[in-house]
Amino acid sequence: MTGSADSPTFTLAYVPGVMPAKWVGIWNERRPDVPLTLLQITAAEAPDVLREGRADAGLVRLPVDRTVFSAIPLYTETTVVVVPKDHLVTAADEVTLDDLADEVVFHPLDDVLGWEQPPGEPGFERPATTQDAVELVAAGVGLLYVPQSLARLHHRKDVTYRPVADAPQSSVALSWPEEATTDLVEDFIGIVRGRTVNSTRGRRPEPDADWTPGRAATRQTGGRAAGQSGGKSGGQSGGKAAGRTGGKGRAGTAKSGGTRRTGRPRRRS
């Protein structure tokens, strides 16, 4: 959870199958002053973890309670069927639910696809976790439908998977309590949305510590205006004005000299 005002921190919860490393790396580059802590949770735990403030935001699976939480959908996963490595399904690049209608299908208690009962013959039990269900698949006693990231997470050498074209899918979102939309949450929103550091849609960057209003005008005055004064004004004074003065001065001196030469000498009596 966020620390004190003097030492803020940011806690990001994430559910199995989600890989937050890319966004965490960007956070560490942009906000090295605010440590980010990762908290792995189950999909079922996510609402309570966020509501109780144990994390500032979470990478969770939809749906979420929109009366309490804000959510930004990030991506939707392909659903796959996990099968023993020697299963006939492996001969195809993609299958449908009808192709597997006669198969025994396990429905783990932590299922994230949201159906009451997967198509096919129900397994002899409901495994407590997806990992437990994968072990039963490896034993050759049934199949399992999961998002592709979970199939990769629980990969074993004795099982494989294939995409299921018409199965329900699972979407991942960034979520947080709507009433707890802090500046740090806004910063992370900008990161997952791909905003740049200087994006006007995100929070405005903090001003430099030594920045003062009018500095830009001062620089412009000292640069462009002073340059114009020293260039145009100075050049005009030194060029046109000085040239005219020098010219008139010489003309005046010549005339003055001529006046002294005119006057007739007096006769001596």
Side-chain angles (χ1 to χ4, degrees), residues 51-119:
R51 189 181 295 109
E52 295 168 6
R54 285 182 275 161
D56 296 280
L59 297 171
V60 304
R61 294 190 180 276
L62 294 176
V64 299
D65 184 354
R66 290 301 186 115
T67 65
V68 178
F69 302 106
S70 295
I72 299 175
L74 300 178
Y75 58 88
T76 298
E77 289 195 68
T78 298
T79 297
V80 301
V81 59
V82 182
V83 299
K85 206 157 192 177
D86 58 355
H87 195 280
L88 292 175
V89 165
T90 59
D93 293 329
E94 184 179 80
V95 296
T96 66
L97 294 175
D98 284 343
D99 295 334
L100 306 170
D102 296 330
E103 299 282 351
V104 173
V105 178
F106 289 107
H107 188 202
L109 294 175
D110 63 353
D111 171 63
V112 296
L113 294 176
W115 41 27
E116 293 184 6
Q117 172 61 46

Side-chain angles (χ1 to χ4, degrees), residues 135-153:
E135 291 180 0
L136 291 173
V137 172
V141 291
L143 311 182
L144 172 67
Y145 296 115
V146 291
Q148 185 169 312
S149 66
L150 291 181
R152 290 174 175 171
L153 179 65

Side-chain angles (χ1 to χ4, degrees), residues 11 21 47 50 54 59 75 144-145 154 179 199 240 252-253 260:
T11 300
L50 295 176
R54 285 182 275 161
L59 297 171
Y75 58 88
L144 172 67
Y145 296 115
H154 299 296
E179 295 183 354
S199 172
K240 291 183 179 179
T253 302
R260 291 191 193 102

Side-chain angles (χ1 to χ4, degrees), residues 2 25 29 33 38 43 72 88 95 97 101 109 124 138 142 159 161 172 181 185 193 205 224 240-241:
T2 302
E29 291 176 0
D33 57 318
L38 289 174
I72 299 175
L88 292 175
V95 296
L97 294 175
L109 294 175
F124 59 86
V159 300
Y161 60 85
V172 173
T181 308
V185 170
R193 282 184 164 171
R224 186 184 296 176
K240 291 183 179 179

Side-chain angles (χ1 to χ4, degrees), residues 228-246:
Q228 290 175 349
S229 175
K232 287 186 178 179
S233 177
Q236 290 173 352
S237 297
K240 291 183 179 179
R244 290 172 181 170
T245 302

